[in-house]
Amino acid sequence: MTAVHLSAHDIHKSFGEGDAQTKALRGVDLDIDRGDFVAIMGPSGSGKSTLLYCLSGMDHVTEGTVTLHDSGSGSVEITALHQRDLAALRLTRMGFVFQQVHLLRNLTVLDNVVLPGFTATPDDRGSVVTRAQELLNRVGIGELADREITQASGGQLQRAAIARALINSPDLVFGDEPTGALNAATAAEIMDLLTEVNRDGRTVVLVTHDPNVAARARRVVVLRDGVVDGDLRRNGSQTDDQWAESLAGWLTSHGT
Amino acid sequence: MGATETLDRKSPQDRDAASSDTSTLRNNLTEEREDRTRNGSLSTRMLRADLRRTRTTTIVLAGLISLAALLAATGGSVLAQLTGAIGELFAAARTPDVVQMHAGAADVQAVEAWAADRPEVADWQVSETLPIPTDQLFLGEEPQSGSVLQPALVTQNATFDLLLGLDSEVLEVRPGEVAMPLYYRQTQAVEVGDTVSVRLPDARFDFTVADFVRDSMMNPTFATSKRLLISEADHRAIADHIDEPEYLIEFLMADRADTKAVSDAYTETGPATNGPLLDRSTFFLLNAVSHGIGIAVLSLLAVLMLAVAAIALRFSFLTAIERDTHEIGVMKAIGIPKKGIRRLYLSKYVALAAIGGVVGSLLSIPAARAITSSLRLQLGEPKGSTWLSAAPILGAGLIVIAIVAWCALMLRRLGRISTMDALRAAAAPRRRRAWWPTRTSKSRLTTSQLRPELWMGLNDIRRSFRTHRMLLAVLTLCTFLFLVPLNLWTTVTSPTFITYLGTGVADLRLELRTPEAVESAPELLSALEQDADVARLAGFVTARFEALNTDGEWEQMPVETGDHQVFPLSYVKGSQPDASDEVSLSSLAADSLGADVGDTITLRGATGANGVTIVGIYQDMTNGGRTAKGLVPVDGEQIVWRTVLLDAVDGVAPSELAERLSSTFPAVQTIQMSEFADQTLGDLIRQTGTVAVVAALTALVLAALIAAMFAQMIIARDRSQIAIQRGLGVSDRALRFQYVTRFVVVLVAGIGLGTLLVATIGRSMVASVIGQLGAPALRFDVEPLLAYVAVPLSLTATVAIVALIATGSFDNLGIDQLNEE
């Protein structure tokens, strides 16, 4: 039986107050298995990014609970944690890849990758640096370690972001439209990397509006107006093309 | 229908058309007005939204401008009140144009004859004063021995040099009453109704204080002579007991331009010249300088505050431009003219300047009243005048104009933003070049041994030094502002300040000013030499000589003769004279004679003129600052006074020795040197202390304001970077450490720079001002604990606390900020 890694129960998220209040999520229930590769899709305003940030503890839910299940140390209710503990959790147990990369402008590529590592294990800098360089090599930009981030392309920076996401060996990786700002070829390369990350045993949850990207996942959750509209799983016998076709057909029939 | 009828009468269609045209025009005009109202409201709405968004920055900017306006307006107000009050006091008191002080018998008829011969003289009088040794003057039961003052009893003059009361009316006192100099009220807490007695060896006279004297000539502390007003009857009774009265021989000019000519003529040929000769300009200067230092400091503070406001405005403006680059690009792209965009931004700064100007002007009213309380007491309340009302408005107005002009200058930058660059700017991260070249071969965080948050803070400074330039500049100014008045205060209150008063450092100073005291000098010296409590002593004679200046004119030059090696002065150049043909000069005397060390000047005494070599230049803030010291033999020259400096033996308290000598030699003024500076320059010293406190508080408040503003701006600018780091799991504590590091590092650099500037520019500035009083080579006597520990600590604590508060919560910098980048 595959263990549940992350579970969300009856998640509500509202923004604003009174007449200006908008409900982004209206009671979402979602269990994500350990080692799964999940894509969250939906039209603009469906609440997919909001769901991602609530699952990762970056944003507070209005109602509901999110629980991180750890095979070793038990479960942690993310929604009950204090800000300080949430930060520690994100630092050591989670990795993030964003559409706009979000690297720190005053640091080199390598510095950006080591920063979370130094923060998590300040006493073991040597290992962190070694690991960071290995990760950069793995994602194909080892030679760019000392470059300023303004001296790298969008695709190279996104690779660096993936390396940063992995520096503390998290078992859960989130991505918010990681290929949104990239051309098709580069997007494909990034998705190859994320697939590889998933094959390493990490749970990957990403948000996308692109069916081609979603098709790289094994499970696609579709949101509409803040609720789960569809939950598709790839069965083991489907080829890539069959899965993509099945997914596209469902999306078309549901007007997504 | 005739032609005329056609012209005079419109057809119904024409009438309708005309009516329709008028209606259309009216509608168009109404629409246009509504448009303008809508657009005006739009500008106002945008201004309000911007002010709301940058609340802290706006408040700080408004505060800085208000402070600058307050200082300028207050300075203007005080200046107007000072000049007005002095002018009105001199007019009411009919202050004389020339005053010759004379000790000894005065031939009134000779003076009358002399004056009659001078058509320039409109009026003259000889006023008899009865000098009272300080140990014979009692306030209650307290003798005034130990005071450096020279009190004298006088009666009210008939026509000019009138002594006024606090209501600026000519004073009259009855027998048994005395009107005391304001000095005693301000420093000794004497009140109306108190008892003052004159206890001569053979008689005692008691008086009740009836009023206080506003003396246009002798109000300031710099003037050690003080006049106590009594009735004619009391004056006559006391005069019988005073052997050597003194006289004020006073002249009023028909045309004030003749003052110098008459002064010089009297010096040459006047009868009764046993004392200094002063003119109206000296009295004006003494009154002005006593209170003018405050104006000078206010002006300096106003300029400093304006500089800080300008720096802060520039930073705020550049931050706003950077933040709004995209919006500016959009506005340009859709056709809004440059003028319109400029007006949008300028409106904010004009509003700030106007608010600051108004607030500063209003606050200057109570501020000026507080600062001028001593001025108004001593000089009187100036009557309302246009200048009095206009001066503070002018001061604040200058600040407002300067601010608006500065903003208009900065806004020219808007024109340089290209539309496409601005639109693209949001899409790509801007490259930030480090202030100094970075080695690209190694990544620095990876090789640094510092904590990541510390390194990040330092790296941010390195990478964006321009951003921190403003903070550095202001904190440097704050340090400067804090230290200069503080160092000046520690200098004037230090025991070695005595060397700026033209005297060596000793425990006691004995002054023999009355003829009786001067005559007792040999006996006094002999007794002191045999006194077991006296460790060492030196006696000096100050005699009246003349020196030939570069214009070929003879100038009064009092020369102090004696052994200058026992209690040596500090010399700016050279050293003390060792031979009878050598002299040292005070700085002002050297300037006046155009002479320097090594030069020879001609000194004329009773026996003729001789050349003497200048071997040293010292500083002297007393007696007009023009003095000389030498070993020139006194042979027939008029002796102005004698002095004795002495040290007590170890174990003997100078105060006890002073008391004993006072009672043994009542005619001699015995002063503890520790009080000499305070009594001679009391006003200056007190003002310096007040200014040091005000400057310290201003520096701290300024540092806090700028730190708060900078914190708000920098956090706003870095909001996405902060959000990223929070998203990665960097704790708020670590983030706060980063930002506090930036503040503290910049502050330390600012303190270092500021301290350096104080030691160089600051000292020169102060020396150039104090130089006018006789101490151009003033060196700061720095109190290390204060200057190098207390000041940096207090500034650091202030800035660190503000930085901690400003970075107290990053809760509002969350995930939504990421999407703005």
Side-chain angles (χ1 to χ4, degrees), chain A residues 90 100 111 125 146 148, chain B residues 441 443 450 463 726 821:
Chain A
R90 283 202 299 276
Q100 291 184 4
D111 281 348
R125 292 187 183 213
D146 290 333
E148 303 285 332
Chain B
S441 57
S443 167
L450 298 174
R463 290 280 189 151
R726 292 185 86 220
E821 198 182 5

Side-chain angles (χ1 to χ4, degrees), chain B residues 517-769:
Chain B
V518 169
E519 276 172 24
S520 71
E523 181 198 342
L524 170 70
L525 283 167
S526 168
L528 288 174
E529 276 159 8
Q530 290 164 40
D531 193 321
D533 287 346
V534 174
R536 69 184 145 272
L537 66 99
F540 303 92
V541 175
T542 300
R544 190 186 297 280
F545 287 82
E546 288 172 316
L548 194 64
N549 65 19
T550 49
D551 292 333
E553 293 168 347
W554 290 100
E555 280 187 17
Q556 293 286 327
M557 187 61 61
V559 179
E560 185 181 76
T561 294
D563 187 352
H564 298 287
Q565 300 209 17
V566 181
F567 298 99
L569 292 179
S570 291
Y571 282 85
V572 175
K573 284 186 195 177
S575 62
Q576 70 264 12
D578 287 327
S580 59
D581 60 349
E582 293 179 349
V583 291
S584 58
L585 295 178
S586 67
S587 300
L588 290 185
D591 284 345
S592 174
L593 298 177
D596 203 347
V597 170
D599 292 345
T600 300
I601 58 169
T602 307
L603 209 58
R604 184 168 75 177
T607 54
N610 293 298
V612 290
T613 308
I614 300 168
V615 296
I617 293 179
Y618 58 92
Q619 299 180 94
D620 189 352
M621 296 170 70
T622 62
N623 300 308
R626 285 178 176 74
T627 57
K629 295 185 191 296
L631 293 168
V632 180
V634 177
D635 185 10
E637 287 80 14
Q638 187 178 42
I639 293 177
V640 184
W641 59 68
R642 286 180 183 261
T643 47
V644 177
L645 296 181
L646 64 88
D647 274 341
V649 298
D650 287 341
V652 173
S655 54
E656 284 172 17
L657 181 56
E659 208 177 309
R660 180 161 67 73
L661 292 175
S662 283
S663 59
T664 311
F665 301 99
V668 173
Q669 272 183 305
T670 308
I671 307 156
Q672 290 185 73
M673 283 298 246
S674 58
E675 293 169 9
F676 180 61
D678 186 66
Q679 291 190 23
T680 312
L681 298 170
D683 267 350
L684 172 68
I685 292 171
R686 273 186 291 279
Q687 274 193 36
T688 309
T690 305
V691 166
V693 170
V694 169
L697 289 173
T698 306
L700 289 173
V701 167
L702 198 55
L705 284 177
I706 291 299
M709 188 182 86
F710 185 78
Q712 195 217 26
M713 282 182 180
I714 212 71
I715 287 170
R717 185 188 271 206
D718 289 354
R719 60 192 184 285
S720 62
Q721 303 290 292
I722 293 170
I724 291 168
Q725 291 184 70
R726 292 185 86 220
L728 292 175
V730 175
S731 68
D732 284 1
R733 194 158 164 265
L735 279 169
R736 199 173 306 131
F737 192 96
Q738 266 183 48
Y739 282 88
V740 173
T741 296
R742 288 163 82 166
F743 278 93
V744 171
V745 166
V746 173
L747 172 65
V748 167
I751 289 173
L753 261 178
T755 305
L756 191 63
L757 284 175
V758 166
T760 52
I761 299 173
R763 194 202 67 78
S764 303
M765 274 168 54
V766 169
S768 68
V769 170

